[in-house]
Amino acid sequence: MDETILEIKDLNMVFSSGKSKVHAVDNVSFRIKQGETVGIVGESGCGKTTLGRCIVLAYKATSGQVLYHAADGKKYNIQAISKQKLRSIRKEIQMIFQDPYSSLDPRMTVFDIISEPLRANYKKIPKNEMEYRVQDVAKKVGLNPSYLKRYPHAFSGGQRQRIGIARALILYPRVIICDEPVSALDVSVQSQVINLLMDLQKNMNLTYLFISHDLSVVEHISDQVGVMYLGQIVEYASTDLLFHNPCHPYTEALLSAIPLADPDTPMDHIPLKGEIPNPSNLPSGCFFHTRCPYCQERCIRERTSLIRLDDGRLVSCHFAGKLPLHGIQAKVPR
Ligand SMILES: Nc1ncnc2c1ncn2[C@@H]1O[C@H](COP(=O)(O)OP(=O)(O)OP(=O)(O)O)[C@@H](O)[C@H]1O
Ligand code: SF4
Ligand SMILES: [Mg+2]
């Protein structure tokens, strides 16, 4: 369980259109161990999806490496790999998307949707093997096999997301990038899908990168959490440390906005002031300084970089470890 499966190193993704440039992923580095879940949180537009897409090579990054420790025991930089090798590596890293409505082709049967990656990767797969694999993953995600001849419109959001998960599993991957997999679902269905993902992880030894703006879900499912702001990781720590003892003011602000289970106990809330800066016109100094309640003169002038604290976490703040920040348990009732 202690083995690294993915190493993201100095990853950058810059989108250019005309004169404007957006640095959607800005020098991001972290590692994921086999069998664990790394949550990625942050407000809309901070680069979560772009990071996930660079890892599955849906985007070729502007620079940096994504080192993957493959099933064959070798390590590959999947951002710079031969086309032939990429075909076999790609099967091992799959993605689940947010919207179970638009990501499933309405003209295909559920069987055809789930089996499509098999047909694309193994031109001559025998029919009975294909049927066996589709039945197998349908069972694993809790889809009734008699539904396989139907079309996606016949299914609820939760069932559709199960179809999306079955499709991601059909090639028996090792890593799954889950991009907001429950955000489009009713709250009552969210926990069923989260529990399914957790069971699948145990039974199939899967590794997840779990992208979400919902911190409660991320706390429940993740072993480690990375907090992103304007393309950068500003804090990366074990879930327990990050939620109970945050060291970056942005993490604290996100935590204080988590709705509480008990609405009768109002808690101190540190509202995030101001808007997210325009990503094509980034602030000077620390990118968070325009909204940070602890901002000092140095923050406006001097860029921050990720430093490792004694407890092992990474934080990008000039005053990391020196600010009196509150985590979720430390919220004080008014
Ligand atoms: N294909 C693209 N072309 C140009 N800019 C893009 C592209 N994809 C994303 N961006 C920009 O990159 C930044 C990061 O976007 P991204 O979709 O990765 O954020 P996100 O954290 O996933 O947001 P959300 O929570 O809304 O899904 C944004 O400023 C976005 O406008
Ligand atoms: S460097 Fe300064 S502005 Fe940035 S997060 Fe730390 S205290 Fe806030
Ligand atoms: Mg996104």
Side-chain angles (χ1 to χ4, degrees):
M1 279 292 275
D2 220 19
E3 233 174 275
T4 299
I5 191 163
L6 268 175
E7 295 170 68
I8 321 298
K9 278 194 178 169
D10 305 323
L11 197 72
N12 285 283
M13 180 73 201
V14 180
F15 293 110
S16 316
S17 66
K19 277 195 187 141
S20 89
K21 280 190 173 162
V22 172
H23 208 147
V25 174
D26 189 347
N27 231 19
V28 165
S29 301
F30 63 96
R31 282 165 185 258
I32 307 183
K33 288 180 195 162
Q34 181 162 13
E36 79 174 357
T37 297
V38 170
I40 298 288
V41 299
E43 287 163 291
S44 184
C46 68
K48 305 181 293 297
T49 296
T50 307
L51 171 64
R53 288 181 154 262
C54 289
I55 295 173
V56 293
L57 212 62
Y59 290 151
K60 173 98 180 71
T62 312
S63 66
Q65 298 185 328
V66 177
L67 298 172
Y68 171 59
H69 300 236
D72 65 9
K74 295 186 187 143
K75 193 154 85 171
Y76 300 95
N77 176 10
I78 53 178
Q79 281 285 329
I81 199 175
S82 71
K83 267 204 176 128
Q84 199 186 6
K85 192 70 220 172
L86 183 65
R87 274 181 71 81
S88 65
I89 298 289
R90 249 201 183 140
K91 289 180 210 151
E92 297 178 18
I93 308 176
Q94 296 291 319
M95 193 151 179
I96 302 172
F97 300 93
Q98 169 172 1
D99 186 350
Y101 292 89
S102 65
S103 55
L104 305 180
D105 187 334
R107 293 157 302 177
M108 288 167 77
T109 64
V110 172
F111 183 94
D112 287 343
I113 289 171
I114 296 176
S115 62
E116 191 186 34
L118 270 184
R119 285 180 275 118
N121 276 278
Y122 304 97
K123 292 279 178 266
K124 290 185 184 139
I125 185 161
K127 200 161 170 250
N128 58 354
E129 190 185 336
M130 188 154 73
E131 277 180 6
Y132 169 79
R133 296 262 296 250
V134 174
Q135 302 265 356
D136 178 46
V137 292
K139 214 182 314 160
K140 285 191 162 93
V141 303
L143 275 178
N144 186 332
S146 68
Y147 292 170
L148 294 170
K149 297 274 174 288
R150 299 187 187 173
Y151 291 84
H153 67 80
F155 295 90
S156 66
Q159 296 285 352
R160 284 180 194 227
Q161 198 52 296
R162 285 174 198 265
I163 298 168
I165 296 169
R167 183 186 153 92
L169 291 175
I170 193 81
L171 297 170
Y172 299 148
R174 298 171 72 224
V175 178
I176 302 187
I177 313 295
C178 309
D179 189 1
E180 307 264 9
V182 298
S183 309
L185 305 177
D186 288 347
V187 175
S188 58
V189 181
Q190 287 190 359
S191 55
Q192 292 169 17
V193 174
I194 291 294
N195 290 339
L196 170 66
L197 287 170
M198 291 172 85
D199 287 347
L200 290 168
Q201 177 169 47
K202 232 185 311 165
N203 299 335
M204 299 177 77
N205 195 21
L206 297 168
T207 302
Y208 292 147
L209 182 78
F210 191 93
I211 295 168
S212 180
H213 60 262
D214 183 335
L215 274 89
S216 308
V217 170
V218 167
E219 184 194 14
H220 185 61
I221 198 168
S222 308
D223 301 293
Q224 311 281 331
V225 179
V227 179
M228 284 184 83
Y229 189 72
L230 287 171
Q232 299 183 332
I233 298 265
V234 296
E235 183 160 8
Y236 188 88
S238 70
T239 307
D240 206 37
L241 265 184
L242 190 116
F243 277 78
H244 295 103
N245 179 19
C247 270
H248 194 286
Y250 182 58
T251 312
E252 180 187 55
L254 290 180
L255 292 176
S256 84
I258 299 178
L260 288 157
D262 178 6
D264 294 333
T265 317
M267 298 286 177
D268 272 349
H269 179 68
I270 307 158
L272 265 172
K273 57 175 187 178
E275 297 287 316
I276 306 177
N278 180 346
S280 58
N281 183 18
L282 292 166
S284 63
C286 168
F287 285 179
F288 189 53
H289 90 252
T290 56
R291 303 168 82 194
C292 180
Y294 308 95
C295 176
Q296 300 186 32
E297 213 271 322
R298 178 182 174 194
C299 309
I300 302 166
R301 281 183 287 111
E302 217 178 294
R303 280 260 184 276
T304 54
S305 57
L306 272 182
I307 52 160
R308 191 176 289 279
L309 301 191
D310 289 345
D311 56 19
R313 82 172 90 209
L314 297 165
V315 191
S316 184
C317 167
H318 294 312
F319 304 101
K322 300 188 180 98
L323 299 170
L325 306 185
H326 294 292
I328 48 174
Q329 267 178 359
K331 285 188 200 176
V332 188
R334 281 203 188 98

